[in-house]
Amino acid sequence: LAVPGAHNVLNARACLAALGAAGFDLDRAAAALADFRGVRRRLEVKGERGGVRIYDDYAHHPTEVRAALSALRELDPPRLLAVFQPHLYSRTKVFATQFGAALALADEVAVLDVYPAREEPVGPLADVSGLDVARAAADAGRGKPVAWLPTAAKAEAFLSRRLGSLPAGSFLVTVGAGDVFRLGEALAKGDLGDPERTSPQFVREGSPKSPSRKPDLPAGVEPDYPLARLTTVRTGGPADFFARPESQEELVALLAWAKEHEVEVGVVGSGSNLLVADDGFRGLAMKLGGALAEIERDGSHLRCGGGARLPSAAAKAAGWGLSGLEFGINIPGTVGGAVRMNANAYGGQLAEVLEWVEVSTAAGTERRSPEAFDFVYRNSNLTAGEVVTRASFALAPGDPAEIKATLASMRGRRREAQPSGIKTFGSTFKNPQDARAEGRTAGQLLEAAGCRGLRHGGARFSAKHANFVENTGAATTADVLALMAEGRRRVREKFGVELEPEVQVLGHVEVPGWTR
């Protein structure tokens, strides 16, 4: 056979047995098998760089990983480096130990974070990551180098350098059912990545469940945390630090630590309306939980944590027979994000039902009235380091059945007008106030400028609503930004209107029309 591996031998023997039973000439069948060169994504040769041959294999189960690496071992390379991307949080949780044992067949191992596919890292899967597999590989490998590379950009840069030190004739194989094959293609082309972000975290045998903390990190703060999994568009690199505060006291302590160490602070919220830089966020990213995400009723008042999802608040209010927050059912963000961005939709206005807001800073927590926020279209005066932790809405009693019917109608209108089931951050640009727009929305202007379905790399303006950017599966934040820039350019040239981005950012992101 021209392809290696005991599994291919077994497949060939089964093929010959079937052909023999069907009456075919076995000599001719064997000759045909000798010409078989394999299939795409099964030990597929992607190229060669610096004397190192680069393979790719679709293996995403421990048995498959073991078979692929065993096959490459038969070719007796002086060094075998396996780069593994786990597929699905549920599979990673169940098979982390077995994946580690299979990967230990390689001389060196690098592990990327989980390719989520159809899953969300919530509930029992919230703490699952590729680091679980990296630790298992370190334990099984007993001294073999195992690198934890949580982003593709970081992996590309680190492995580009590593290829230069491998002996001629060595193999590098990318393994997994996600988009890890793109990494092998980039390495074969010699694209180097950012040399400033190449330091991997090396995992040692017997490493603890939680990543090693720096001496000055508060309890509960995780270093080098992948943020893409927390965003709805699924792009971007890691945060230097990450925490999930569950009380105002815990949050204030984190803000005070960040201020003392001059660490920038950002809140992820529900991950919608957010773009994270491909290089990550050089600061402390937080996601509010516990008491800071609860929703409670106090008579006709709705008390919500800043981390509570606004659609959930609207739905609970309806169940309690409280009216006034129905518009929130179609705003896929948190209460804190809604206050910061002065969210409104379908005629509803946040400021009309907002009673008070509690804002936490490094100095403590204070309660503010709606007037204190200087609300304007899609904006407030909240600054960096000010985090909405609680809010109260003054609502009116109503008939629960009628309110729920209104919610159903609003959901239906959204489904008809906007795309669903895609990876997106929501509306890309604000609706312009410029008279030259002649009352048209950003989506209408983009469509008239020929942007519907337009794509750049893995990013595409939705075919259903041109003001939504979709991650088609392998987009980077850079792809999204390039697409936004092209859409903005087309609208400016056709109508003279400058579209302003609605999406928020973490990290150094050069959004067209706004650099942070």
Side-chain angles (χ1 to χ4, degrees):
L1 295 176
V3 290
H7 61 295
N8 281 319
V9 172
L10 290 172
N11 287 342
R13 291 171 65 182
C15 178
L16 287 173
L19 289 170
F24 284 86
D25 181 85
L26 291 185
D27 289 333
R28 293 181 61 189
L33 281 172
D35 288 336
F36 177 64
R37 293 294 184 271
V39 297
R40 183 175 178 270
R41 297 223 62 195
R42 288 299 187 185
L43 293 184
E44 179 185 6
V45 177
K46 287 293 184 179
E48 188 170 307
R49 179 161 160 219
V52 176
R53 184 177 297 177
I54 298 173
Y55 288 88
D56 174 68
D57 196 273
Y58 190 73
H60 54 286
H61 182 279
T63 303
E64 296 173 334
V65 173
R66 184 177 294 276
L69 296 183
S70 296
L72 291 177
R73 276 289 185 208
E74 290 180 13
L75 301 178
D76 199 25
R79 197 82 176 162
L80 174 59
L81 169 55
V83 183
F84 180 60
Q85 180 188 48
H87 186 264
L88 296 178
Y89 297 104
S90 56
R91 184 181 291 127
T92 302
K93 182 177 181 179
V94 172
F95 291 118
T97 300
Q98 293 93 321
F99 277 130
L103 289 167
L105 291 174
D107 298 302
E108 302 178 28
V109 177
V111 181
L112 277 62
D113 203 12
V114 177
Y115 186 83
R118 59 188 177 273
E119 292 186 338
E120 299 282 345
V122 297
L125 303 179
D127 296 324
V128 178
S129 76
L131 188 55
D132 300 323
V133 175
R135 292 195 183 100
D139 289 342
R142 298 186 179 279
K144 291 181 179 179
V146 177
W148 161 233
L149 302 168
T151 68
K154 192 171 184 179
E156 181 182 328
F158 169 71
L159 293 169
S160 290
R161 293 195 310 176
R162 184 71 194 99
L163 282 178
S165 59
L166 291 176
S170 295
F171 295 163
L172 180 148
V173 57
T174 56
V175 183
D179 59 3
V180 68
F181 68 93
R182 298 183 187 277
L183 175 59
E185 292 173 350
L187 292 171
K189 292 176 183 177
D191 299 333
L192 296 179
D194 184 356
E196 297 300 318
R197 297 292 299 159
T198 60
S199 299
Q201 174 185 339
F202 282 98
V203 183
R204 303 301 178 191
E205 180 183 352
S207 57
K209 180 63 182 172
S210 299
S212 300
R213 294 191 176 97
K214 297 179 181 179
D216 61 343
L217 289 189
V221 175
E222 300 181 57
D224 206 22
Y225 190 91
L227 292 179
R229 63 161 72 178
L230 300 182
T231 69
T232 55
V233 74
R234 293 288 194 269
T235 67
D240 281 354
F241 311 106
F242 179 77
R244 297 178 187 266
E246 298 187 350
S247 68
Q248 289 178 328
E249 294 75 18
E250 186 180 351
L251 174 61
V252 169
L254 287 169
L255 293 172
W257 172 82
K259 183 176 181 180
E260 178 186 355
H261 295 278
E262 298 183 340
V263 173
E264 187 178 355
V265 172
V267 179
V268 174
S270 66
S272 62
N273 196 40
L274 182 66
L275 266 181
V276 178
D278 286 323
D279 193 39
F281 176 52
R282 306 284 73 78
L284 169 64
M286 294 186 292
K287 186 174 179 66
L288 307 187
L292 299 183
E294 292 179 351
I295 302 170
E296 300 174 331
R297 177 187 180 184
D298 183 5
S300 61
H301 302 273
L302 199 69
R303 318 290 195 199
C304 302
R309 295 186 68 252
L310 195 59
S312 299
K316 284 199 172 185
W320 288 324
L322 298 176
S323 177
L325 200 60
E326 288 88 335
F327 69 92
I329 199 68
N330 282 336
I331 300 177
T334 60
V335 168
V339 172
R340 181 174 291 275
M341 294 298 295
N342 186 24
N344 57 75
Y346 297 94
Q349 300 288 331
L350 185 80
E352 292 178 356
V353 293
L354 193 60
E355 185 178 22
W356 51 256
V357 177
E358 289 181 348
V359 178
S360 295
T361 67
T365 300
E366 65 175 15
R367 183 171 293 186
R368 303 179 187 177
S369 67
E371 294 75 24
F373 292 91
D374 296 333
F375 285 128
V376 295
Y377 176 67
R378 292 289 194 268
N379 207 358
S380 69
N381 62 10
L382 283 168
T383 61
E386 293 184 316
V387 181
V388 173
T389 49
R390 290 184 72 222
S392 177
F393 300 97
L395 305 178
D399 178 24
E402 290 183 4
I403 301 172
K404 289 180 180 178
T406 299
L407 295 187
S409 174
M410 287 185 171
R411 289 193 188 102
R413 289 167 62 186
R414 181 184 178 91
R415 282 195 296 268
E416 290 176 5
Q418 299 179 8
S420 59
I422 64 173
K423 300 173 186 175
T424 182
F425 49 75
S427 296
T428 305
F429 297 103
K430 299 177 182 179
N431 289 328
Q433 309 301 303
D434 192 323
R436 288 172 292 186
E438 299 179 346
R440 285 173 290 195
T441 65
Q444 290 169 337
L445 292 170
L446 287 163
E447 181 172 355
C451 293
R452 183 193 288 263
L454 182 69
R455 66 186 302 156
H456 184 283
R460 175 177 62 193
F461 280 119
S462 169
K464 186 172 185 179
H465 193 307
N467 199 29
F468 282 71
V469 171
E470 174 187 3
N471 178 354
T472 61
T476 63
T477 295
D479 289 338
V480 174
L481 295 175
L483 187 63
M484 289 174 63
E486 176 60 16
R488 191 167 185 266
R489 182 191 68 79
R490 291 190 180 196
V491 170
R492 180 177 61 250
E493 291 185 358
K494 188 174 182 66
F495 302 104
V497 176
E498 293 285 356
L499 292 180
E500 182 181 350
E502 184 168 326
V503 65
Q504 300 297 293
V505 301
L506 277 182
H508 182 74
V509 177
E510 293 188 359
V511 180
W514 170 34
T515 301
R516 176 164 179 235

